[in-house]
């Protein structure tokens, strides 16, 4: 099936795509600046594998509602990606993790990068217990 868009529609679609890329880059710049302000590292986690076992330490509903995800576990150290290190309800969830003996390393990310990480919840297998 041939592309039924006119040349003008094709140009408009290309322009819309480019504008979306510029907007995302601008948003990322804002989050990088906020990370610096908070004294935190910034990452999009695009080249970092997300540890599904670490992600599963926090229910998806809690992570989504509070704008964060646990992306890596190294022993008792957890790397947490967040879009807002000042989020009061997220701080409660982080305190719960600390209360379970974990040390948290906070890293700021952009909303688009966090959404990409949160999609990984779809790949987590639910472990069920079977009686034998």
């Amino acid at each position: 099936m041939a592309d039924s868009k006119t040349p003008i529609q094709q140009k408009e679609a290309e322009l819309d795509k480019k504008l979306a890329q510029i907007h995302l880059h601008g948003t990322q710049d804002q989050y990088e600046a906020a990370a610096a302000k908070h004294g935190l590292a910034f990452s999009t986690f695009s080249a970092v594998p997300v540890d599904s076992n670490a992600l599963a330490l926090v229910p998806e509903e809690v992570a989504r509602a509070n704008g964060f995800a646990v992306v890596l576990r190294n022993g008792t150290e957890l790397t947490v990606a967040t879009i807002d290190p000042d989020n009061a309800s997220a701080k409660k969830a982080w305190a719960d993790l600390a209360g379970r003996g974990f040390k948290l390393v906070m890293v700021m990310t952009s909303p688009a990068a966090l959404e990409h990480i949160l999609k990984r919840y779809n790949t987590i297998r639910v472990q069920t217990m079977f009686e034998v």
Side-chain angles (χ1 to χ4, degrees):
M1 181 181 207
D3 190 1
S4 60
K5 291 182 181 179
T6 66
I8 292 174
Q9 289 172 324
Q10 289 173 345
K11 282 288 187 191
E12 287 175 345
E14 289 173 18
L15 181 58
D16 287 343
K17 184 178 178 182
K18 186 66 174 173
L19 287 172
Q21 290 172 341
I22 291 169
H23 174 71
L24 286 177
H25 185 69
T27 300
Q28 181 176 319
D29 288 345
Q30 292 171 335
Y31 280 87
E32 285 184 52
K37 178 182 152 195
H38 285 90
L40 298 174
F42 177 87
S43 178
T44 61
F45 296 94
S46 59
V48 179
V50 175
D51 178 354
S52 295
N53 292 325
L55 194 64
L57 290 170
V58 176
E60 180 178 6
E61 300 77 32
V62 173
R64 282 189 179 280
N66 296 295
F68 77 93
V70 179
V71 295
L72 179 66
R73 178 179 179 179
N74 185 9
T76 60
E77 185 176 276
L78 301 178
T79 300
V80 178
T82 182
I83 57 173
D84 182 4
D86 295 324
N87 181 320
S89 52
K91 286 182 177 184
K92 291 178 186 175
W94 301 332
D96 177 60
L97 289 169
R100 291 164 48 191
F102 293 109
K103 177 183 179 246
L104 306 181
V105 176
M106 307 303 293
V107 178
M108 281 196 67
T109 193
S110 68
L114 181 63
E115 181 57 33
H116 183 72
I117 294 166
L118 293 173
K119 287 179 181 178
R120 289 290 308 274
Y121 273 102
N122 295 331
T123 66
I124 297 174
R125 286 186 176 188
V126 177
Q127 294 183 356
T128 55
M129 301 297 278
F130 293 98
E131 299 241 354
V132 182

